[in-house]
Amino acid sequence: MLTNKVITINAMAVVTKGQPLAPFTYEASPCGPYDIEVKISHCGICHSDLHLIDNDWKMTHYPLIPGHEIIGYVVQKGSNVNHLSLGDRVGIGWQSSSCHKCHWCESGEDNLCLKQKATCVDHFGGFADRIIADSRFAFLIPKALKSENAAPLLCGGATVFSPLFERNINFHHKIGIVGVGGLGHLAIQFAKALGATIYVFSSSENKATEVQALGADHFISTTDPSNLKQMASSLDFIFFTSSASINWALYMNMLKPKGELIILGAPATELTLPLFSLIGGRKRISGSNIASSKEIAQMVAFAADHQIGAKVELFPMHAANEAIEKLRKNKVHYRAVLVNEE
Ligand code: NAP
Ligand code: ZN
Ligand code: ZN
């Protein structure tokens, strides 16, 4: 039943910069024609939530309710929502809307729409018991995936799947994955399923065994730069998923001629490197943002087929600060997920 009443939502918010998350209640407008009301069961914590909390990207407006790796159940829907039913389990990621009219939207690349909006930028996110969301950016979650393992797929999984898939990564390729956090550990699993030979670059030596169990072929500790120098001209692609900057020239040097560095991690930094690290071998650097809604649906199906999911540490929603502090210290194996207790 669609109600016209405003909906009271209980959340965890950073009210002013520098403050911890605290309980916060707000009134949401009733569902519009394409909207759904989702009762949230789980919400992953992406490092982008931490960048937003700290206003690293200078785009945060407080009060901020973070959270864009959401799983929940449809409890109300607007009159134009035909592909979802009440009770369906859905996932919601970073992107909350697009214009549906521009070249990018019409060609199926709605993650490139210039009018897109994000779930927790100028919009209240998923550290909450409910959310009103545009159903066109909500994805049915197959039964094969558990909610807690699926939540991080909605941003982290989508972000790594899209460039791997777009480049047709397969058993011919030797690829590097830099950083083994939420994105990195999912990238390993997707790349393994696609058949690549995987070299993982990590600053955390204690992750070596787990990383190999996830499917990586080689673990390279980045604490000793000579490990990287030895790998000159050996990789076809490098996927950068770290939340901290690296020595870019050292990584460009590991690419084969015509190799490509794909930047997914978003530390608030500038990229500087000698131009000759690009010119000599006709190398490329590119960026990649999340995934289109079409790719997110493909990614979820692929994850279900290949039993790919996040390795998670669970925290009750009210303990969001504890989870955030663990993430800040790079101590989470590999994704913190907040759970709403029944
Ligand atoms: P995460 O879970 O915190 O993992 C980041 C990893 O980076 C860490 O596990 C660590 O890997 C490495 N790292 C962190 N601090 C470091 C330091 N001081 N020195 C060296 N390495 C460090 O983060 P995430 O959720 O995967 O997100 C990673 C980045 O991707 C963030 O910047 C996030 O904003 C960005 N992101 C971008 C998109 C997009 O659309 N492009 C989407 C989602 C997220 P090791 O311990 O293995 O070194
Ligand atoms: Zn994210
Ligand atoms: Zn558009």
Side-chain angles (χ1 to χ4, degrees):
M1 265 283 282
L2 190 62
T3 80
N4 290 325
K5 289 191 201 140
V6 292
I7 298 152
T8 303
I9 296 185
N10 301 304
M12 294 291 284
V14 178
V15 176
T16 47
K17 185 170 187 257
Q19 295 297 309
L21 291 148
F24 181 87
T25 298
Y26 71 97
E27 309 264 281
S29 309
C31 285
Y34 287 99
D35 288 342
I36 49 175
E37 180 188 346
V38 175
K39 186 170 186 292
I40 297 172
S41 64
H42 295 80
C43 187
I45 309 184
C46 175
H47 206 108
S48 300
D49 293 314
L50 187 49
H51 289 307
L52 289 173
I53 287 171
D54 293 343
N55 197 16
D56 288 342
W57 299 331
K58 311 288 175 235
M59 62 166 73
T60 308
H61 294 121
Y62 302 91
L64 161 72
I65 299 176
H68 57 275
E69 291 186 338
I70 298 166
I71 300 281
Y73 294 87
V74 179
V75 292
Q76 215 187 154
K77 63 175 199 163
S79 52
N80 287 353
V81 180
N82 298 318
H83 70 296
L84 294 173
S85 305
L86 299 187
D88 279 350
R89 188 173 59 136
V90 293
I92 297 162
W94 172 267
Q95 190 170 351
S96 62
S97 69
S98 73
C99 82
H100 304 283
K101 291 185 202 127
C102 71
H103 162 76
W104 303 108
C105 286
E106 287 190 342
S107 61
E109 294 184 283
D110 47 13
N111 56 323
L112 301 180
C113 175
L114 298 178
K115 294 191 173 152
Q116 68 182 282
K117 295 221 160 68
T119 300
C120 48
V121 180
D122 295 328
H123 184 283
F124 287 146
F127 288 15
D129 60 357
R130 280 154 200 271
I131 192 165
I132 306 295
D134 186 325
S135 60
R136 293 165 290 190
F137 290 90
F139 305 90
L140 264 178
I141 301 298
K143 284 202 171 61
L145 295 171
K146 278 178 74 179
S147 295
E148 62 197 53
N149 311 111
L153 294 174
L154 273 300
C155 178
T159 301
V160 296
F161 177 83
S162 169
L164 286 165
F165 202 69
E166 191 180 35
R167 283 157 187 81
N168 189 23
I169 294 299
N170 61 55
F171 63 90
H172 291 299
H173 296 125
K174 282 188 182 178
I175 70 161
I177 294 172
V178 184
V180 193
L183 266 62
H185 94 291
L186 288 167
I188 296 168
Q189 296 178 62
F190 282 116
K192 182 71 185 173
L194 294 168
T197 303
I198 305 165
Y199 293 73
V200 163
F201 298 88
S202 171
S203 63
S204 308
E205 282 173 15
N206 63 337
K207 294 180 182 172
T209 313
E210 286 166 335
V211 155
Q212 276 159 355
L214 287 169
D217 299 282
H218 305 276
F219 180 92
I220 295 108
S221 169
T222 55
T223 50
D224 180 358
S226 71
N227 293 339
L228 280 58
K229 288 185 186 138
Q230 281 167 20
M231 289 191 57
S233 309
S234 61
L235 299 172
D236 297 293
F237 296 95
I238 297 176
F239 294 84
F240 170 74
T241 76
S242 177
S243 55
S245 191
I246 53 173
N247 179 332
W248 302 101
L250 212 48
Y251 284 79
M252 291 309 293
N253 187 49
M254 285 193 286
L255 288 171
K256 291 179 187 172
K258 293 199 167 179
E260 182 181 6
L261 168 66
I262 298 124
I263 298 180
L264 307 170
T269 185
E270 291 189 359
L271 190 155
T272 50
L273 81 172
L275 295 182
F276 264 95
S277 62
L278 286 169
I279 293 169
R282 294 196 169 191
K283 295 178 186 176
R284 285 166 291 165
I285 300 180
S286 58
S288 188
N289 70 325
I290 48 168
S292 67
S293 48
K294 198 168 127 199
E295 287 170 317
I296 296 177
Q298 279 175 340
M299 177 276 301
V300 168
F302 187 95
D305 284 351
H306 293 83
Q307 294 172 335
I308 292 172
K311 308 285 169 212
V312 296
E313 290 187 31
L314 302 180
F315 296 82
M317 185 63 75
H318 63 79
N321 285 310
E322 199 187 310
I324 289 287
E325 284 320 303
K326 206 163 178 188
L327 175 63
R328 201 182 278 290
K329 292 181 187 141
N330 189 22
K331 296 279 185 227
V332 177
H333 284 70
Y334 285 90
R335 191 53 121 203
V337 173
L338 300 174
V339 185
N340 275 317
E341 285 142 346
E342 282 302 307

